[in-house]
Amino acid sequence: MNKQLFFIAVASLITTLASATDLYVRNLGAGGAYATVSAAIAAASDGDRIIIKPKTSGTGAYVENLTINKSLTFVSETIYNRYFIQGTINITPQAGRVVTISGLSSGNFTIYNVTVSAATTGGRTTVNLYNCFLNNVDTTQANTTTNMSGCTVSGYVFFSHGRITGNNIQRINAYNTSVD
C-alpha cells in the first residue's frame, strides 16, 4: 500500500512539473503580465505557450529583437487580431526544438525577418508559422523543417525542408543546403 501511495505521489509530481505554462504579454505589463516578449521568453520553459495581447495605442508594436532558444508556442490573446513585433526573430536551433508562431505581424518593414541562426546537429528543429503577416523567412539551415500555412509574406521565403501551403508569398525558393 505504501509503495502504491509513493508511486502515485511521484507520478503526480512529475505530471505537474511536465505541464506547460501560459505566459501572458500585455502592454506595460498590465494585469501582472510580462511587458515584453523577451521577458516572457526568458521566464519560459520548453513547451510553454506565450500569449501576446495586440497593442492598440501608439505604434501598436512590441519593439524588440527576439531570440527564441526554447520550444515555445506564440499566439495572439485576441482572436482574429495579430500582435505586432517590430524586430527580427532569430530561432536558435537544437535537436527536437519546435517553435510555433501563430498570428504574428512583422509589419510593412523589409528589415524584420524570421530566421534560424545555424544548422541543427543530432536531430531536427521545426518552425511552424501559421496565419502570420511576415516580411522575410529564412530557414535554409541544415536539419530545419519549416511548415507555413495561411501566411502572407511580402518578401521572400527561403527554406530547405517542410511544407508551405495556402500562403500568399511574393518570392519562394527551396534550397538543398545539405544532405538533410
Side-chain angles (χ1 to χ4, degrees):
M1 179 70 169
N2 286 338
K3 287 182 181 181
Q4 287 177 330
L5 289 175
F6 177 74
F7 176 75
I8 291 170
V10 169
S12 297
L13 178 63
I14 291 171
T15 302
T16 302
L17 293 175
S19 63
T21 301
D22 288 343
L23 297 108
Y24 288 84
V25 177
R26 295 185 180 126
N27 194 21
L28 304 175
Y34 292 94
T36 66
V37 179
S38 296
I41 292 170
S45 298
D46 279 332
D48 285 354
R49 184 169 66 158
I50 297 178
I51 302 169
I52 304 166
K53 183 171 185 169
K55 289 184 176 182
T56 56
S57 62
T59 65
Y62 293 92
V63 181
E64 53 187 315
N65 292 318
L66 304 178
T67 298
I68 302 171
N69 57 1
K70 302 168 186 167
S71 290
L72 298 171
T73 299
F74 297 84
V75 298
S76 177
E77 184 176 18
T78 309
I79 296 175
Y80 305 118
N81 286 331
R82 292 186 176 112
Y83 53 94
F84 181 13
I85 304 288
Q86 186 176 335
T88 295
I89 299 172
N90 185 32
I91 299 166
T92 305
Q94 180 178 330
R97 177 160 293 150
V98 177
V99 174
T100 301
I101 301 173
S102 178
L104 164 71
S105 174
S106 54
N108 195 17
F109 301 97
T110 58
I111 61 172
Y112 303 126
N113 306 316
V114 176
T115 63
V116 174
S117 61
T120 305
T121 57
R124 185 167 286 287
T125 296
T126 301
V127 178
N128 300 310
L129 300 167
Y130 302 126
N131 301 314
C132 296
F133 180 82
L134 305 166
N135 295 303
N136 299 308
V137 177
D138 185 350
T139 57
T140 57
Q141 298 293 345
N143 297 317
T144 300
T145 297
T146 305
N147 300 309
M148 288 180 66
S149 181
C151 294
T152 298
V153 182
S154 60
Y156 61 78
V157 174
F158 297 161
F159 75 109
S160 61
H161 184 270
R163 291 196 168 112
I164 311 293
T165 59
N167 300 284
N168 182 0
I169 299 171
Q170 186 176 48
R171 187 173 100 202
I172 186 167
N173 291 348
Y175 290 95
N176 183 5
T177 57
S178 67
V179 179
D180 194 287

